[in-house]
Amino acid sequence: MAEQQTPTVKLPDPVELSKAMTQIAERSNKLLAEFLERQKHEPEATSVDPLNIGGAFLELTTRMMSDPAKLAAAQIQLWQDYMRLWEATTRRMMGETAPPVAVPEKGDRRFKDPSWDENQLFDFIKQSYLLSARWLQNQVRSVEGLDDKTAQKVDFYTRQFVDAMAPSNFVMTNPEVLKATLESGGENLVKGLEHMLDDLERGKGRLAIKMTDDKAFRIGENIAVSPGKVVYQNELMQLIQYSPTTEKVHRRPLLIIPPWINKFYILDLREKNSFVRWAVSQGLTVFMISWVNPDEKLREKSFEDYMLQGPFAAMDAIEKATGERELNIVGYCLGGTLLASTLAYLHARKPSDPGPDLDRIVSVTLLTALTDFAEAGELCVFIDEEQLRGLEEMMKAKGYLEGSAMANTFNMLRANDLIWSFVVNNYLLGKEPFPFDLLYWNSDSTRMPAVMHSFYLRRMYQENRLVEPGGISLLGVPIDLRAIKTPLFMLSTREDHIAPWKATYALTQLVSGPVRFVLAASGHIAGVVNPPDAQKYSHWTNPKTPPTPDDWLAGATEVPGSWWPEWYKWLARKAAAKVPARVPGEGGLPAIEDAPGSYVRVKSTD
């Protein structure tokens, strides 16, 4: 066993400690007073159980108690596992070697400190937690008779509870925190309390955990820096045309439609990982929609408005800017859902209906985009009638959904990585968060207009109408995804917790045109933002699209590295021959301002 080093114990300076605690008390009192004052003006909660958890767990408990023999057997199994752990720990304390009874899953960073393995006490605490956590989750998952929605909900919130109770989240059961506390004389905890107060102040009474050093990044200076010009704008979006880096470019431009749940610059973080910069370097004339961060004045904006003032307006502007009638389009996440809906509309529209001619769109690329929401992952936990009514009440009062509400939902899907790791780092260890471009973007949340968001959640997530022929009408035109004949390139990611890849694959069986489906390693963001130079995540290809995603994967070939070159090889044939490069602002549309524009700079807290 490795030799244990006794940490140096530092006694705190009583004067400095007293001063710090006085300041903390004053700030705490001020925060409490401001919170109570805000509560007077906040709309009353429509439910004492806004997440609609109580009923689900009541049903779970009823089902569990209906089979006491099964529950007793499970308890006996847990007791036997604990006896094995006691035996293994005793042997270790006597100097023997004993294999662990429970080990963390690969990639679990909560127990990365060596003391979790080297110190018998902390090893026992760790394994006790893992045994109890897995036992509890297994019992919840093994209960029979629950409907799918209820089972998914209790499983999700059981995991939230289990993650919250991890010994790494508490001072006295985290060896790294204990060591820091002894060595600093408790300064880490005082600093952590100050960080918590900062987060409460920034969140106006709600805990807005700081994930990165937000002062380390400045939009347009060291993030979202690809050169270009805003050449068009309306009340919902600005259209950016990026400056070429090659003497010649493909004749047909490329339009990118990002999601408006987050800001566009996930595709233009920094030079080393910018999809925009890479696409421009391939000789593509790239246009990017930068959506507005809506306020109460845009509360009535609908999904149809996003189509009219998004892709429709952008296509007309691109034709004026370049003189090119035809183009290729990329849609990412919700931007891809909008793009698929738009394509179905254009296939169904009559010449007298609003919108451009269908033949102007030569190809469509969908990045991690859902169209069939039957198996839409754990986000469905937040979509039921009670929760939707609560959301609609909140949006009715303000005209939009707060960006922080969306951010908190997404963070809960990966609570250990996006919540509890920062609780430990910021509050228990008292450290400043590390500057990280991806987390800066993740924290730069956006609001959702009330009318649009209610339509999206109800008609797509809750009712899954988009996959029904005529289930959704846009501008009075019933749409059908089955009518789509435009060539598609679909990119999904294997560990996607927002758009599960098997759910996205369903579109391959609906559309009538050719489909190229590619699966990337990693998740919703890292799997997409994977530059070739990084030589990081692999991807899988299969020229066929069999009926099921499992059949597709069984016949797929794993290819090392980024999917970007695979996509460009597919797109180049549709981008047409090369022509002299186009300079933004020198075509049919004058420049309005430099990229990345002003819309992207609007914060949800502004």
Side-chain angles (χ1 to χ4, degrees), residues 297-317:
K297 292 179 289 188
L298 299 177
R299 64 188 304 149
E300 297 297 326
K301 287 299 178 181
S302 65
F303 195 82
E304 295 164 317
D305 289 322
Y306 272 79
M307 179 176 73
L308 288 168
Q309 296 184 270
F312 285 3
M315 289 174 66
D316 289 341

Side-chain angles (χ1 to χ4, degrees), residues 322-336:
T322 65
E324 288 297 326
R325 182 174 176 275
E326 299 175 331
L327 78 170
N328 300 290
I329 308 182
V330 174
Y332 187 6
C333 187
L334 177 52

Side-chain angles (χ1 to χ4, degrees), residues 266-311:
I266 184 58
L267 297 174
D268 186 35
L269 288 171
R270 291 193 278 182
E271 182 175 352
K272 65 179 181 179
N273 57 4
S274 170
F275 178 80
V276 167
R277 185 180 291 268
W278 183 86
V280 168
S281 73
Q282 306 307 302
L284 294 167
T285 302
V286 178
F287 289 82
M288 174 74 75
I289 287 178
S290 172
W291 298 105
V292 73
N293 197 351
D295 57 19
E296 66 278 358
K297 292 179 289 188
L298 299 177
R299 64 188 304 149
E300 297 297 326
K301 287 299 178 181
S302 65
F303 195 82
E304 295 164 317
D305 289 322
Y306 272 79
M307 179 176 73
L308 288 168
Q309 296 184 270

Side-chain angles (χ1 to χ4, degrees), residues 527-540:
V528 174
V529 185
N530 181 28
D533 289 347
Q535 298 182 353
K536 203 169 185 181
Y537 305 114
S538 63
H539 62 281
W540 288 262

Side-chain angles (χ1 to χ4, degrees), residues 275-460:
F275 178 80
V276 167
R277 185 180 291 268
W278 183 86
V280 168
S281 73
Q282 306 307 302
L284 294 167
T285 302
V286 178
F287 289 82
M288 174 74 75
I289 287 178
S290 172
W291 298 105
V292 73
N293 197 351
D295 57 19
E296 66 278 358
K297 292 179 289 188
L298 299 177
R299 64 188 304 149
E300 297 297 326
K301 287 299 178 181
S302 65
F303 195 82
E304 295 164 317
D305 289 322
Y306 272 79
M307 179 176 73
L308 288 168
Q309 296 184 270
F312 285 3
M315 289 174 66
D316 289 341
I318 289 171
E319 183 175 7
K320 291 177 182 177
T322 65
E324 288 297 326
R325 182 174 176 275
E326 299 175 331
L327 78 170
N328 300 290
I329 308 182
V330 174
Y332 187 6
C333 187
L334 177 52
T337 305
L338 173 67
L339 179 54
S341 305
T342 299
L343 204 56
Y345 167 83
L346 293 180
H347 274 84
R349 68 180 279 272
K350 298 175 182 177
S352 58
D353 293 326
D357 292 335
L358 176 64
D359 63 355
R360 292 178 60 186
I361 303 176
V362 176
S363 77
V364 161
T365 298
L366 301 179
L367 307 178
T368 62
L370 276 171
T371 50
D372 186 337
F373 292 77
E375 302 292 338
E378 290 186 326
L379 277 176
C380 291
V381 167
F382 302 94
I383 310 297
D384 57 33
E385 186 58 34
E386 291 79 2
Q387 292 182 84
L388 285 178
R389 281 203 302 265
L391 280 175
E392 287 168 344
E393 283 297 315
M394 287 193 294
M395 292 191 292
K396 182 179 178 181
K398 293 187 175 182
Y400 55 83
L401 181 66
E402 290 280 6
S404 58
M406 292 296 298
N408 290 339
T409 297
F410 288 124
N411 290 344
M412 285 178 69
L413 299 181
R414 293 175 54 206
N416 282 330
D417 291 334
L418 296 178
I419 297 176
W420 297 111
S421 65
F422 295 101
V423 168
V424 174
N425 182 80
N426 301 6
Y427 304 155
L428 302 187
L429 293 174
K431 294 180 180 179
E432 296 289 342
F434 185 77
F436 186 18
D437 54 2
L438 186 58
L439 289 177
Y440 176 83
W441 166 84
N442 188 63
S443 300
D444 193 6
S445 58
T446 55
R447 299 178 285 257
M448 297 288 106
V451 171
M452 182 286 304
H453 202 53
S454 179
F455 173 89
Y456 175 56
L457 293 180
R458 284 193 174 277
R459 302 303 300 279
M460 296 187 184

